[in-house]
Amino acid sequence: MAPHPEDDNCARKMDVCNKGKKATVCDSKLRTYNIDKECGSEEDYYYYSPWRAPGSAPVFDSCGVAGGRPPPAGHFGAQYFNTTFAKQGDYGSHVLKPRFSGTVWVAGDAAEVSWAIYANHGGGYQYRLCPSSSPLTEECFFKRPLKFVGSQMLRWGGVHGETLKVTGTYVSEGTLPEGSTWAKNPIPDWGSDSIAPSFAPPCKESPNCTSTLASGMDNRCRCSGEWGPYDMEIVDLLHVPADLPPGNYVLGFRWDCEESNQVWASCADVTVVAPTYV
């Protein structure tokens, strides 16, 4: 169960984990839903959501779970159709074997990363590293959160597609690891909780973008919506620490949602090499 203003049973604050945690993200500029409500008030339905204290919510596994939850499968978005690689509830760190990706980062340089949204739940995200030879746990990833550098960017149509630099919004107070930087999801929801975007879209929207379309799976908006936009990536540059020892690492992506009580995570293999001086 999660807060939802349009459901009489769920239009309220819910401390689902019953931990009594206090939100550290209260500034309306950092929030992605219900941003006009006073922080902590009874109308601040998403007060206990993961994004409101980035990095604090516990996870099943730092590399994600097949289907997003242990068996049995849930409803839409919480189902996994068993494959030779995994079955419902399998932990990513256990079943995903190391696989050379061909991605090589140079210590001290900036590295490009990107992610895309299927179902928008607001919140924000962080990238971090763990040596591939270590257990892929939050404890390991917490030791190496990566810093954002340069401009955030939106990209349509893949690597060589159209791009737009946008002003990223970041938070580093009240986060875990302590002092680490998280980026706000720049794409506003539209249609999930209201007939208007949950905050201002970062690009000039398409004339075809309406509340009806934005809330449907056939989303024709460029940079807002409850679903997608599917042809759009959120692109960031990360600083690869200059003192990072060369070797094989696992890049972790963690998305702490605000509209839902969810943390989405995934992992990828990267190789870090020392800089070459001429």
Side-chain angles (χ1 to χ4, degrees), residues 29-256:
K29 296 183 182 65
L30 302 175
R31 290 156 55 184
T32 53
Y33 287 91
N34 226 16
I35 64 175
D36 60 330
K37 306 305 180 184
E38 181 183 354
C39 181
S41 69
E42 288 305 309
E43 292 181 310
D44 184 8
Y45 300 139
Y46 304 104
Y47 182 83
Y48 293 110
S49 298
W51 173 239
R52 301 297 294 276
S56 297
V59 298
F60 287 117
D61 188 83
S62 295
C63 290
V65 178
R69 55 168 287 168
H75 297 291
F76 182 82
Q79 301 171 341
Y80 185 85
F81 295 95
N82 296 348
T83 68
T84 56
F85 302 103
K87 61 183 184 300
Q88 178 78 37
D90 279 351
Y91 290 173
S93 67
H94 295 179
V95 300
L96 299 177
K97 306 302 180 185
R99 182 177 182 181
F100 181 69
S101 65
T103 300
V104 178
W105 289 358
V106 179
D109 281 3
E112 182 181 286
V113 292
S114 68
W115 66 291
I117 296 172
Y118 183 70
N120 194 0
H121 298 307
Y125 59 96
Q126 185 184 69
Y127 292 92
R128 57 263 185 90
L129 287 173
C130 177
S132 60
S133 57
S134 300
L136 302 177
T137 62
E138 288 297 277
E139 181 182 7
C140 182
F141 282 114
F142 271 23
K143 293 177 181 178
R144 299 169 188 83
L146 297 175
K147 295 180 180 179
F148 296 94
V149 295
S151 298
Q152 195 175 56
M153 186 169 67
L154 304 182
R155 183 166 63 202
W156 296 266
V159 174
H160 301 295
E162 177 190 355
T163 60
L164 174 68
K165 288 185 177 181
V166 298
T167 301
T169 302
Y170 306 96
V171 57
S172 57
E173 294 184 7
T175 59
L176 289 180
E178 187 174 351
S180 65
T181 301
W182 291 66
K184 173 184 171 181
N185 173 2
I187 307 305
D189 193 344
W190 186 355
S192 179
D193 291 347
S194 68
I195 60 172
S198 53
F199 55 92
C203 75
K204 183 177 180 180
E205 266 300 358
S206 165
N208 295 324
C209 181
T210 64
S211 60
T212 302
L213 292 174
S215 63
M217 296 188 73
D218 183 23
N219 182 8
R220 300 178 191 177
C221 303
R222 281 174 55 80
C223 59
S224 62
E226 183 178 1
W227 300 92
Y230 307 118
D231 190 38
M232 186 212 68
E233 302 167 77
I234 300 165
V235 184
D236 293 285
L237 289 177
L238 304 175
H239 173 66
V240 184
D243 60 353
L244 192 66
N248 294 320
Y249 289 83
V250 173
L251 174 68
F253 170 81
R254 173 169 166 157
W255 174 17
D256 280 21

